[in-house]
Amino acid sequence: MPGLDFSFSGLKTFAANTIRDNGDDDQTRADIAYAFQEAVVDTLVIKCRRALKQCGMKRLVIAGGVSANRALRQGLESLMEKLGGQVYYPRTEFCTDNGAMIAYAGMQRLKNGESVGLAELKATRAGLSIS
């Protein structure tokens, strides 16, 4: 869908350069981290609002490690309240890095005798698939 792609690479570079140019003390780092979080949350809220409107949906599910972020939860709850919708996310103890879930799924498949050679895997924009 148009208008939903985004990247934080420019923001990360800006944050690194700001730290380099403004000192390395704890307060400066904390201020930059706070501003970085605000910018990321604002972007994600905007993109979620746009996606919900384009799809005509009133429910939003957020998962993975990012779903534990309190500022993001607050921003999305505020958005969904304004839109008359609902946001769903797991309890924080279940908000883990997706990499751990993928590794666990792979371990379970291997334990069940399932395996594929690297030549059979194909990387796509959506992830890995088996040819």
Side-chain angles (χ1 to χ4, degrees):
M1 297 191 150
L4 299 180
D5 292 337
F6 60 92
S7 168
F8 294 118
S9 62
L11 182 59
K12 291 186 295 187
T13 301
F14 179 76
N17 290 339
T18 303
I19 290 169
R20 184 194 67 224
D21 296 342
N22 291 291
D24 199 18
D25 63 278
D26 288 345
Q27 186 60 52
T28 300
R29 284 180 168 269
D31 291 345
I32 293 167
Y34 182 80
F36 183 91
Q37 177 179 262
E38 277 190 320
V40 169
V41 168
D42 289 347
T43 299
L44 292 175
V45 168
I46 289 166
K47 297 296 184 169
C48 286
R49 178 179 43 234
R50 192 173 294 162
L52 290 162
K53 287 186 177 184
Q54 286 182 22
C55 294
M57 303 300 284
K58 294 279 185 179
R59 282 181 255 159
L60 177 66
V61 176
I62 181 170
V66 70
S67 65
N69 184 283
R70 286 188 294 251
L72 180 60
R73 286 182 179 218
Q74 290 169 351
L76 293 174
E77 286 170 5
S78 176
L79 167 68
M80 296 313 288
E81 187 176 310
K82 289 175 190 169
L83 296 177
Q86 294 178 298
V87 61
Y88 301 92
Y89 35 77
R91 293 191 319 253
T92 52
E93 62 263 28
F94 298 119
C95 297
T96 59
D97 183 1
N98 293 342
M101 290 184 275
I102 291 167
Y104 180 78
M107 180 190 71
Q108 292 300 317
R109 287 182 175 180
L110 188 60
K111 283 172 65 173
N112 288 331
E114 300 174 45
S115 67
V116 296
L118 290 177
E120 297 174 60
L121 292 177
K122 180 174 74 172
T124 67
R125 185 174 166 98
L128 290 176
S129 65
I130 300 172
S131 359

